[in-house]
Amino acid sequence: MTGEHELQSMDYEVATIEQSSRNFLFAAIPVESWNDALSPWEAPAVWGKQGFSGKAGDALRFLTEQVMPTLKQQFELSENVKIILGGYSLAGLFALWASTQTNLFYGVAAASPSVWFPGWMEFEQRHPIQTQHIYLSLGDKEEHTKSTVMAAVGDNIRALHSQLTARGVDCTLEWNSGGHFKDADLRTAKAFRWTMEEHT
């Protein structure tokens, strides 16, 4: 899932993923209202004035009932094709949340996911992520923010990684240098490449 702000660097992202030896189909699904379409439930604004209206369920239904069947038909993909859902920031959180709702996804590529989102950690405890291959990353400056809500991102991602690993999930946590807005395209490409590879 992607927003207008990512589309201009999409070519570079795909070229970076292509350095993998795997054959893949990359589908970018633009969402109109990032904060609304990708948030799993309602939450107040954290910066600026726009809050979150919690319409991720609608986005997931669109993805599973329209986008995925269309892609499978159009590109003659096998029924058991491995589907990796991923994205950056709130799209990364959406991918993690979506995998608590369905077991359709082989893996999740969550680059700098918004795991600071209010109630996320408690929700995941009650509704565990079902996919078995998860890439997590964060910038090493992301938890150093004036927003007390967003400052929880570092502790939350460490805890999520520990919990998933303890459950036997194939999961990694990679730290990148810089804040949230540095190298988003490269970080997202790295997330997809890791999730595409076999790990032992």
Side-chain angles (χ1 to χ4, degrees):
M1 311 302 276
T2 188
E4 282 292 324
H5 56 289
E6 287 183 310
L7 293 175
Q8 57 266 35
S9 59
M10 198 67 70
D11 289 347
Y12 174 69
E13 188 176 315
V14 174
T16 306
I17 299 170
E18 279 176 336
Q19 293 168 15
S20 162
S21 58
R22 304 272 172 187
N23 288 326
F24 67 93
L25 168 68
F26 186 91
I29 299 99
V31 294
E32 275 186 38
S33 176
W34 183 258
N35 281 17
D36 296 332
L38 300 179
S39 54
W41 45 81
E42 288 185 26
V46 177
W47 67 94
K49 291 184 177 161
Q50 189 189 1
F52 303 88
S53 66
K55 296 208 167 86
D58 295 340
L60 181 58
R61 271 189 298 280
F62 176 68
L63 190 63
T64 57
E65 294 172 13
Q66 294 184 45
V67 174
M68 284 162 45
T70 301
L71 290 174
K72 282 184 176 179
Q73 185 179 12
Q74 187 175 344
F75 293 95
E76 299 178 353
L77 304 174
S78 69
E79 269 308 303
N80 62 348
V81 66
K82 291 177 179 173
I83 300 168
I84 297 167
L85 182 62
Y88 196 81
S89 190
L90 198 55
L93 178 76
F94 171 80
L96 291 167
W97 170 83
S99 65
T100 70
Q101 305 296 298
T102 177
N103 62 1
L104 279 174
F105 305 110
Y106 166 80
V108 166
S112 288
S114 303
V115 293
W116 52 262
F117 197 81
W120 160 249
M121 294 300 289
E122 297 80 4
F123 179 85
E124 199 281 331
Q125 286 284 304
R126 295 192 310 271
H127 309 272
I129 288 170
Q130 298 178 50
T131 182
Q132 291 301 300
H133 308 277
I134 301 172
Y135 175 98
L136 301 169
S137 72
L138 205 66
D140 57 12
K141 293 188 171 68
E142 290 196 53
E143 60 191 319
H144 307 294
T145 171
K146 290 176 181 160
S147 164
T148 51
V149 175
M150 296 177 75
V153 72
D155 288 342
N156 286 3
I157 206 158
R158 289 181 194 95
L160 184 62
H161 176 247
S162 296
Q163 290 161 14
L164 291 167
T165 305
R167 289 180 211 157
V169 175
D170 172 28
C171 179
T172 192
L173 170 57
E174 183 169 358
W175 290 90
N176 297 294
S177 65
H180 186 64
F181 298 101
K182 186 180 180 200
D183 301 329
D185 47 3
L186 181 60
R187 291 184 191 179
T188 307
K190 278 164 55 177
F192 278 110
R193 275 182 57 187
W194 185 91
T195 316
M196 284 160 59
E197 298 300 330
E198 297 287 339
H199 309 104
T200 54

